[in-house]
Amino acid sequence: MATFVLIPGAGGAGTVYWREVAADLESRGHTAVPVEIDGSDPALGLPEYAAITDAAIGDHRDVVLVAQSMGAFTAPMIGKRDALDRLVLLNAMIPLPGESPGEWFEATGSGEARRAANAAAGRSNEFDLDEVFLHDLPADRKADMSEGDRDPAETPFGQRCAFRAWPDVPIHVLVGADDRLFPAEFQLAVARDRLGIAGEVLPGGHLVAKSRPAELAARLVGYLDAR
């Protein structure tokens, strides 16, 4: 049995976002630890997010570290690399060493990719939170995210991701086929360019842990079965 430590994206809401996936993993006999990060607190930034994640790992071993979206900037900065079995990046902002989240958007061309995907699908380029993030969530989970939503603080967006190399463990990249923030083809290209990894596509949008929790949990456990 494994321990899954689950890092949220910008704004936090870790226990809310990961609720269904954590329950599914635990029903399979695993331990799930959603990391609670108050991403709305301007006193906290990337170093603090990494320290909070280290505290969540605690004494656990054989950890599968799962990082959602901007959580990928936290993952390579943790101190407890020796506890990791593997790393999963989910709809992730994959950083280069020394890059800040604010720089990432321009460096990768994510805005252009989103606008092109919107044009191809006949969608407006107006940034509507419901249309971008909540479009594929059931009503009850959409309400969950509204209650747990936090406006991200600006602090981490200007901070460098302080790491030299990714942890020396297997790294998997999971991509939501219907992600409207970071289109699937864009994510796959970033994974190839920055990690030399062929990402895997699964159903769901940017908040796939809320829209497709069973499918996501099954994919995460599948990585263990393939060891």
Side-chain angles (χ1 to χ4, degrees):
M1 297 295 103
T3 296
F4 292 84
V5 175
L6 310 168
I7 305 175
T15 55
V16 173
Y17 177 64
W18 292 112
R19 181 180 296 154
E20 290 78 17
V21 170
D24 192 302
L25 292 170
E26 291 183 342
S27 75
R28 298 168 184 261
H30 301 287
T31 299
V33 184
V35 181
E36 185 58 37
I37 294 174
D38 185 354
S40 66
D41 186 347
L44 304 179
L46 297 180
E48 289 77 20
Y49 297 172
I52 292 168
T53 302
D54 280 332
I57 293 172
D59 295 328
H60 293 294
R61 309 296 298 178
D62 298 323
V63 168
V64 180
L65 188 63
V66 186
Q68 160 76 21
S69 195
M70 202 178 84
F73 272 80
T74 298
M77 289 182 60
I78 68 164
K80 293 193 172 182
R81 292 182 169 213
D82 60 342
L84 300 186
D85 177 77
R86 61 194 57 239
L87 176 60
V88 181
L89 304 176
L90 176 63
N91 288 331
M93 296 170 62
I94 300 172
L96 296 175
E99 186 175 49
S100 72
E103 292 170 335
W104 182 92
F105 293 97
E106 183 175 354
T108 59
S110 70
E112 293 88 339
R114 181 174 63 84
R115 289 188 288 273
N118 285 340
R123 294 190 297 264
S124 168
N125 275 316
E126 182 179 348
F127 197 91
D128 181 271
L129 292 177
D130 282 356
E131 286 298 316
V132 174
F133 294 106
L134 307 179
H135 61 93
D136 63 335
L137 270 63
D140 58 336
R141 294 176 197 160
K142 189 179 294 187
D144 272 356
M145 292 307 296
S146 296
E147 291 175 12
D149 187 41
R150 302 166 178 160
D151 290 331
E154 294 182 6
T155 305
F157 288 91
Q159 295 179 323
R160 304 289 179 187
C161 194
F163 76 107
R164 293 184 178 180
W166 287 89
D168 187 20
V169 296
I171 299 176
H172 310 277
V173 175
L174 280 177
V175 174
D178 302 314
D179 193 332
R180 294 183 181 178
L181 181 64
F182 304 139
E185 289 302 321
F186 161 77
Q187 289 196 53
L188 293 170
V190 172
R192 286 194 302 268
D193 292 345
R194 296 194 161 198
L195 294 175
I197 288 176
E200 301 176 67
V201 179
L202 73 166
H206 191 67
L207 303 182
V208 67
K210 296 299 280 187
S211 64
R212 303 278 188 151
E215 291 93 329
L216 175 57
R219 188 68 63 95
L220 295 176
V221 171
Y223 292 139
L224 303 177
D225 295 338
R227 281 185 299 194

